[in-house]
Amino acid sequence: MTIDSIDTVTVLGAGSMGHGITEVVALAGYDVTMRDIEEDIVQDGYEDIEWSLDKLDEKGLIDQEPEEVLDRISTTVDLEDAVTGADMVIEAAPEQMDLKKDIFGDLDEMADEDALLASNTSSLSITEIASATDRPDKVVGLHFFNPPVQMDLVEVIYGDETTDATAEQAYEFIESIDKTPIYVRKDVQGFVVNTVLGPFSGEAAWMVSEGLAEIKEADASMTQRGYPMGPFELSDMTGIDIGYHVRKEAGMPIPPIVQEKVDADELGQKTGKGYYDYEDGDGADYE
Ligand code: 3HC
């Protein structure tokens, strides 16, 4: 079910989060434009959405035809085309402050005056991102979790200048896409979830780097206690580069095993190999 104040949504980014957010927004009935900087990236993201919709359809988890949902999605590489006329823009670009500020500077010039401007940043300051615009009152954090189509929670984060009207509109929007919003009223690094999850993955990576535990043991120790995934399987799913950039932007030391994986471009499921091998091996089979 859609809300009255929002008809059209633009998602900037077609990677894991960008295409997943595009999919959930389209599933809720909104018209969505998904934009990334290169055609190939946009095409890969679109194909991932097709795959996901087919999977949900096969399992009877959606009550509409995949084609109907796809008809609500358009794609482009042109930022101005993507943003013009959108009631809401959700940025899901890589986790680098300079890049996000550049994007929000462009949005300030191109987006409609009343548009809601949201960032899906994992941990960067909403206040600082919003400072790239002359309308920080309209900027809010909307932190989705991976995979967006399966994860219910979304953090709605206030920057220092975000008004209640903006945060409430964002909250209502998240409810309209059938997700559960929670407010994060202080713009603290990592917000709530990643403040807790950071050490979960980080400490495990330090232990393995120092030879104190094996990857499979560390993962099994958590799943045996009822967690849905261990820290290494989770990093493979979210992308090892994501946690790497979060730590780097925060000025935190990088565990050697994380650095090795990033240097080798073994970033997890999306590259076919990370802590586990998804192409030639058994994937995250550690129980
Ligand atoms: N669309 C549709 N289907 C998908 C999919 C997608 N995008 N991604 C995976 N699937 C499919 C799989 O292919 C598999 O299909 P199969 O049954 O045919 O083999 C199926 O979904 C697995 O899902 P299930 O619900 O059956 O399995 P689980 O019960 O294991 O649940 C899970 C999967 C919900 C991902 C669960 O393992 C989980 O909750 N894991 C933790 C995820 C998590 O914590 N995410 C947050 C990460 S942190 C983050 O994102 C923050 C950011 O800032 C870094």
Side-chain angles (χ1 to χ4, degrees), residues 52 55 59 122 143 145-146 149-151 194 197 234 238:
S52 173
K55 194 96 178 159
K59 293 182 177 176
S122 297
H143 185 209
F145 296 90
N146 200 347
V149 81
Q150 285 175 309
M151 300 303 288
N194 278 345
L197 260 186
L234 184 60
T238 54

Side-chain angles (χ1 to χ4, degrees), residues 97-257:
M97 180 57 88
D98 290 348
L99 176 61
K100 296 210 188 253
K101 284 172 87 168
D102 282 350
I103 292 172
F104 274 76
D106 289 341
L107 288 183
D108 200 28
E109 284 174 21
M110 295 171 185
D112 289 10
E113 203 179 311
D114 293 331
L116 193 65
L117 304 182
S119 173
N120 177 57
T121 177
S122 297
S123 64
L124 298 175
S125 163
I126 301 301
T127 308
E128 193 175 341
I129 293 171
S131 73
T133 73
D134 284 332
R135 41 174 141 167
D137 53 311
K138 302 290 290 179
V139 178
V140 67
L142 279 185
H143 185 209
F144 290 77
F145 296 90
N146 200 347
V149 81
Q150 285 175 309
M151 300 303 288
D152 190 40
L153 183 72
V154 179
E155 292 178 305
V156 178
I157 307 126
Y158 278 75
D160 288 354
E161 310 277 334
T162 309
T163 57
D164 284 338
T166 296
E168 282 162 15
Q169 191 188 7
Y171 190 99
E172 205 189 331
F173 170 76
I174 294 302
E175 287 182 315
S176 80
I177 60 171
D178 215 16
K179 299 283 172 197
T180 302
I182 54 159
Y183 282 124
V184 179
R185 293 178 192 278
K186 291 281 176 205
D187 189 13
V188 290
Q189 189 176 40
F191 317 127
V192 175
V193 174
N194 278 345
T195 299
V196 178
L197 260 186
F200 176 73
S201 299
E203 288 305 312
W206 280 112
M207 287 192 80
V208 169
S209 298
E210 288 165 8
L212 302 175
E214 299 289 332
I215 288 175
K216 290 186 176 196
E217 291 169 3
D219 274 353
S221 70
M222 298 315 288
T223 50
Q224 293 297 330
R225 299 176 55 233
Y227 281 65
M229 288 177 171
F232 293 98
E233 182 184 6
L234 184 60
S235 296
D236 271 359
M237 191 192 69
T238 54
I240 296 171
D241 53 324
I242 304 294
Y244 170 82
H245 283 299
V246 167
R247 294 185 81 89
K248 215 167 162 130
E249 289 282 328
M252 294 163 79
I254 308 289
I257 192 170

